[in-house]
Amino acid sequence: YETINVSIGSADASRIGVNRVDSGGVDPSAQTGSGFTALTSTSFGYTAGANGGLTVNGKLGTEEVTFADGSSAREVAAAINGKSDTTGVTANARTVAQLSGVSSGTVSFSLYGSNNGSASDAVSISANIGADGDLGALADAINKDTGSTGIAARSLGTSIELVSDRGETIIIDAFTDGAADGATLDAYDFAGTTQVGTSATIADASGARVDGNVTIEAADAFSITDTDGTEFVDGFSSLDSVASIDIST
């Protein structure tokens, strides 16, 4: 047999957990436009810091993590994970959006998620919305193409939740509905419970995008520096301790 010695720095539940930094997300209100080129502009999405990304200072070491302006949450997380062997820090990305204000009648738009290589990769979505405004048919239409977009939809009645569990940017373009009066697109945090920024207004025959959130984690305390100061802010991780977990139910 083999004897393994394990040491624990503290058995206090308030000192055991995961050290975490969450991005603030991207305010979608200014991320509107018409056409694939406009909606994939490098002025949208995540912004790199002065050094071309951000710096991760982990227990194992310090590394500059580079990503381009206009990157998605998925791309930022992938860049951080590319340095995890030398920092001890990893990242996850997730995108949650809500579409609302859709009028009854026929609604159609182009949808981009993981299929974001070019305008020709768009998936065409179309559904008929009844007088009650229920978007169940629209959710079904989106879910038929989840394999192409990586986006799953859930009807919330007169609104619809859109989720990319990989953190892809969710882009809606060429939107039109029964009243030709556009719609509203909102961004939410990683858990999908808190709205990020203010609503994006989709004009008729136009579009908008929502970028995801990035959660950076490590077993030990770490910091990030050289950020752009908007989606990420220089600072130290916070401990999400097991003492905060409710196991009563």
Side-chain angles (χ1 to χ4, degrees):
Y1 63 92
E2 180 181 5
T3 300
I4 300 176
N5 295 314
V6 178
S7 63
I8 300 176
S10 173
D12 185 344
S14 66
R15 299 179 64 183
I16 300 173
V18 176
N19 291 273
R20 180 175 291 134
V21 168
D22 294 319
S23 72
V26 181
D27 188 338
S29 61
Q31 298 197 141
T32 59
S34 180
F36 179 81
T37 299
L39 291 168
T40 55
S41 167
T42 56
S43 62
F44 296 163
Y46 278 77
T47 305
N51 291 341
L54 55 82
T55 300
V56 176
N57 309 287
K59 181 179 181 179
L60 300 183
T62 295
E63 289 281 358
E64 289 187 5
V65 174
T66 59
F67 54 87
D69 287 344
S71 289
S72 66
R74 181 191 65 78
E75 291 168 328
V76 173
I80 293 169
N81 289 332
K83 303 288 187 177
S84 63
D85 286 347
T86 50
T87 63
V89 178
T90 61
N92 294 295
R94 188 170 188 256
T95 307
V96 182
Q98 282 192 23
L99 178 67
S100 60
V102 180
S103 298
S104 60
T106 300
V107 57
S108 64
F109 53 84
S110 297
L111 181 63
Y112 300 89
S114 56
N115 56 319
N116 60 3
S118 67
S120 63
D121 293 327
V123 167
S124 296
I125 303 296
S126 180
N128 188 56
I129 308 303
D132 62 358
D134 186 274
L135 300 183
L138 182 57
D140 290 342
I142 293 170
N143 288 332
K144 287 179 181 178
D145 284 298
T146 298
S148 298
T149 65
I151 297 169
R154 179 169 66 100
S155 175
L156 303 175
T158 57
S159 65
I160 192 168
E161 181 184 69
L162 305 171
V163 177
S164 167
D165 282 325
R166 294 182 61 201
E168 301 282 5
T169 299
I170 296 174
I171 299 175
I172 290 175
D173 189 31
F175 179 93
T176 185
D177 62 7
D181 58 356
T184 298
L185 190 64
D186 292 305
Y188 281 78
D189 63 359
F190 194 98
T193 56
T194 303
Q195 185 175 346
V196 173
T198 54
S199 303
T201 299
I202 302 176
D204 182 51
S206 189
R209 67 181 269 172
V210 163
D211 284 276
N213 288 265
V214 179
T215 295
I216 310 175
E217 299 177 337
D220 299 285
F222 66 94
S223 68
I224 58 171
T225 54
D226 302 320
T227 66
D228 71 301
T230 52
E231 293 90 35
F232 290 104
V233 178
D234 289 12
F236 287 93
S237 58
S238 298
L239 178 64
D240 188 3
S241 71
V242 297
S244 64
I245 299 174
D246 183 2
I247 59 173
S248 61
T249 57

